[in-house]
Amino acid sequence: ELPPSEFMQVADSTWLVLNVVSNGREPPGCQATGVTKIARSVIAPLAEHHVSVLMLSTYQTDFILVRERDLPVVIHTLAGEFDIYKEESGECVPVTSDDVSNGFLKPKPSASPMLHPVQSPQTRFCVLTVAPDTLPAIATMLIDVLFYSHSPPWDAATGGQDLDSITFFSFSLIEGYISIVMDAETQKRFPSDLLLTSSTGELWRMVRIGGQPLGFGECG
């Protein structure tokens, strides 16, 4: 329960987490992995049924949040591609489309989908993790980066930040596993011996969709 604030927008619905952990039912020869699989097999079909999602992807697991009221449509839409389970008393119980298809409504025909601009800032990013027992050693730096952002101020004249460069920091704690995404400049502020990454230490680029916040009602 958070105090009311004119600076805070809260979604007027409960969101549930879908944990995507399998390769679906496709033949072994045409299995995609990671975000490619999720975008094609999960997000795209849900967008066609006007279902909004929030996606969180880490090295270990991929999660998609959907609104609780959309769950019947979600299960009906994905049942042909995935085996779907729900957790009851710590056990995974199969869910079939028939159990929740009553009241399923096909989406109403709508106008052409809204198109958003796509930018790819020049900033390079690092995908990292850290051992949980070493977290206290970087706690102060994490607090500084997470809550005292040094990002360039919002430019009201242009409607956003400089699109050639963007500061982004993500800290995710999932069942004891820590996933961190930060730009290469921010990484220099952390002790290098505590941050773990892939053996290649590769850098990543970001694709930014939309020049303004998309909002909770945006589909896909």
Side-chain angles (χ1 to χ4, degrees):
E1 293 292 334
L2 298 172
S5 170
E6 61 178 311
F7 304 106
M8 184 181 300
Q9 180 185 5
V10 181
D12 58 348
S13 55
T14 301
W15 292 70
L16 305 176
V17 179
L18 307 181
N19 186 6
V20 186
V21 296
S22 74
N23 287 323
R25 297 176 183 166
E26 291 186 349
C30 61
Q31 290 176 352
T33 58
V35 176
T36 301
K37 169 74 175 180
I38 292 171
R40 187 186 67 208
S41 303
V42 180
I43 296 178
L46 293 180
E48 292 175 359
H49 287 78
H50 301 269
V51 174
S52 297
V53 305
L54 175 64
M55 178 178 172
L56 175 64
S57 183
T58 75
Y59 267 136
Q60 284 196 335
T61 317
D62 298 302
F63 298 89
I64 293 179
L65 277 73
V66 298
R67 286 175 295 195
E68 188 173 35
R69 64 172 179 261
D70 291 332
L71 191 59
V73 180
V74 171
I75 295 177
H76 184 96
T77 302
L78 300 181
E81 172 76 15
F82 295 93
D83 295 317
I84 301 177
Y85 299 86
K86 61 181 176 181
E87 186 173 324
E88 290 185 352
S89 303
E91 299 291 332
C92 289
V93 180
V95 176
T96 64
S97 178
D98 294 335
D99 293 338
V100 294
S101 59
N102 291 338
F104 171 75
L105 300 176
K106 292 184 178 181
K108 298 178 181 179
S110 60
S112 299
M114 183 181 299
L115 300 179
H116 295 289
V118 175
Q119 303 95 24
S120 182
Q122 297 300 312
T123 315
R124 285 174 166 78
F125 295 89
C126 312
V127 179
L128 310 153
T129 187
V130 60
D133 58 350
T134 64
L135 196 57
I138 61 171
T140 303
M141 184 61 65
L142 276 176
I143 293 173
D144 181 58
V145 174
L146 281 169
F147 300 108
Y148 300 93
S149 173
H150 301 283
S151 302
W154 185 268
D155 188 347
T158 61
Q161 293 174 321
D162 178 10
L163 297 180
D164 290 333
S165 176
I166 186 171
T167 301
F168 176 88
F169 188 93
S170 170
F171 178 89
S172 304
L173 176 61
I174 304 168
E175 297 179 351
Y177 170 75
I178 298 171
S179 181
I180 304 175
V181 181
M182 69 178 80
D183 62 88
E185 288 301 313
T186 301
Q187 183 191 21
K188 296 176 182 177
R189 301 171 58 187
F190 288 83
S192 59
D193 57 328
L194 297 181
L195 299 178
L196 309 175
T197 185
S198 65
S199 57
T200 60
E202 61 185 344
L203 296 177
W204 297 67
R205 291 283 296 276
M206 173 184 289
V207 174
R208 180 179 181 179
I209 301 176
Q212 299 290 337
L214 299 183
F216 294 116
E218 200 73 33
C219 295

